[in-house]
Amino acid sequence: MLFRSYKTVRSYGCYGCHEIDGYKDDGTSIGPNLRLASEMDGEFDRKQALRKVGPSLTWTSEKLTREFLWKWVRDPQAFRPSTKMPLFYKQIDTGFFGEMPDGEFNFAKEPQVADAATGNPDHGEMLKGLAVAEIHAITEYLTVVSRKATDGKKIPEVKGTGDAGRGKTLFDTKGCVACHVHKDHPQAVGDPDRKGFGPELSEVGAKFTTPEQKKWLAAWVKNPAYFNSESYMPNLQLSDQDAADLAA
C-alpha cells in the first residue's frame, strides 16, 4: 500500500506543487526525496530531481486546433477519461457547462449547481461568464506563445502516405503497447507497471484532424526528442513510411 501511494504521487506529479523533502534539517534521510527540477539546479541536482508530468506546450499551435484546445482546457476528461490533468471547470464553484459553436460561446441548459451552493441567483451566471473568459484566455495564450516559441523552427518532413492497417501492426511490433493503451489492442501483453505510462491513444484521431496536424504527429512519432528533449518516448528508429503508417 505504501509503495502504491508513492507511485501515485510520482504518476500524478503531486511534487509539482508540493515539495516532498526526503531529508531532515540535519541531512538524515527519512524517505524518497520528491522535488521538481529547478532552473537553478546544477547538472547533478537536476538529474536527481523530477520533471513535470505534463507534456511540453511549446508546439501547441502546431498540433492542436483552437477548438480542440478550448474543449480540452474546459474538460480534459471528456476527451481522455484517464488523463492526469485535473478538472478545473465544471466544478461546484464554477457551474459552467458551455459549448463553443463557431464565432461565439453558448451555454447548455444544465443545472446551475453554483446557484444552489450560494443561494445567489446571479452567481452562477457570473461564474459561467468568468469561466468562459478564463478558458478563452488560456487558449489564446497557449496558441500565441507557442507560435512565438516555434518561430523559425520547421517540422521535419516525413515522406510517404500513411496506411492505417500497417500502422496497427506496427503498434504491436514496435512495442507501442508497452507504454500506451489502445482499444484496438485489448489483449496486448506488457509490463503492468508500464501500462498507461504514456497517454491512452484510442481517440487520438479526433485530436489530429488536419493535414498539418497529421504531419506533426508523424514527425513526433519518428523523433520525439526534436520537439521535447525531455520526452520519455524513445526514438524507435522508424523509417519515414513506418512513422507515417503509425500516425495514420
Side-chain angles (χ1 to χ4, degrees), residues 8 21 114 172 232:
T8 299
D21 195 343
D172 275 324
Y232 290 126

Side-chain angles (χ1 to χ4, degrees), residues 90-97 110-114 124 127-128:
K90 300 186 88 170
Q91 302 285 6
I92 195 169
D93 58 346
T94 62
F96 174 65
F97 299 93
E110 297 194 29
Q112 296 181 23
V113 292
L127 287 173
K128 283 183 177 183

